[in-house]
Amino acid sequence: MAAKRRVAVLISGRGSNLQALIEATRDPAHAAELVLVISNEPEAAGLSRAAASGIATDVVSHRDFAGRPDFEAALTARLESAGAEFVCLAGFMRVLTDGFVERWRDRLVNIHPSLLPAFPGLDTHARALEAGVKVHGCTVHFVRSEVDAGPIIGQAAVPVLPDDTPASLAERVLAAEHRLYPRCLDLVADGRVRITGKTATADVARPPDWQFLNPPAAKP
Ligand code: GRF
């Protein structure tokens, strides 16, 4: 089996997506191995998840630096010394400059809790409810300098139910995130995602034909 690609994860908090990546990459068949987790918040719960799994952790607090470029230079230095080939953002709450994004171009991946290009930015679940959409979800994409944009690697959809609150919808989307992110990372690390201009295409078998209807089709 080919050597796994070395992946670092940047977090700021809870780290449930990190946990999903930790569990998935334990599988010898997954193309990635996690070599480092960096948090900009010293108290991030995700740091303990990584440590409990024997993954190296580091705290690089943005507060210790005069500006974004210095903060990011410290991040890149850590990532390089860990030999990271790809970087996953998983609830990393700092906006990155063009310099960092270009340094890691096509090797920097993010997960966002909406079906982009709908609802970039914050409070995606409340905004989805307000807009009255019937299907919502999450997106894994390559990072570009425009926030929550960049070639889409994969998306997962969930229904929006009539009695949903932002919290109940967030929970449903989060479960989808935990399935989507490891799958997309596997494809990227395996070199099976081709980027052409603004789009990314994964080399995968054609999925079975299906349609997702919400409300569901009436019973015959
Ligand atoms: C997730 O909803 C992710 O889509 C967004 O931030 C949240 C992080 O959650 N970017 P967690 O820290 O992975 O639990």
Side-chain angles (χ1 to χ4, degrees), residues 11-19 46 49 89-93 110-114 124-125 138-139 148 170 173-174 177-178 181:
I11 61 166
S12 297
R14 180 176 60 181
S16 71
N17 277 287
L18 166 65
Q19 187 70 43
R49 296 180 190 263
L89 307 179
F92 183 66
M93 299 304 286
N110 181 45
I111 186 155
H112 180 76
S114 78
T124 54
H125 309 305
C138 51
T139 303
D148 299 327
V173 171
L174 195 65
E177 293 184 37
H178 297 163
Y181 210 172

Side-chain angles (χ1 to χ4, degrees), residues 39 98 128 155-156 214:
S39 174
D98 292 2
Q155 294 186 307
N214 181 32

Side-chain angles (χ1 to χ4, degrees), residues 112-125 127-128 131 133 135-139 141 147-149 152 155:
H112 180 76
S114 78
L115 292 171
L116 290 172
F119 312 120
L122 299 174
D123 300 323
T124 54
H125 309 305
R127 287 160 59 210
V133 297
V135 177
H136 185 45
C138 51
T139 303
H141 63 95
V147 174
D148 299 327
I152 291 172
Q155 294 186 307

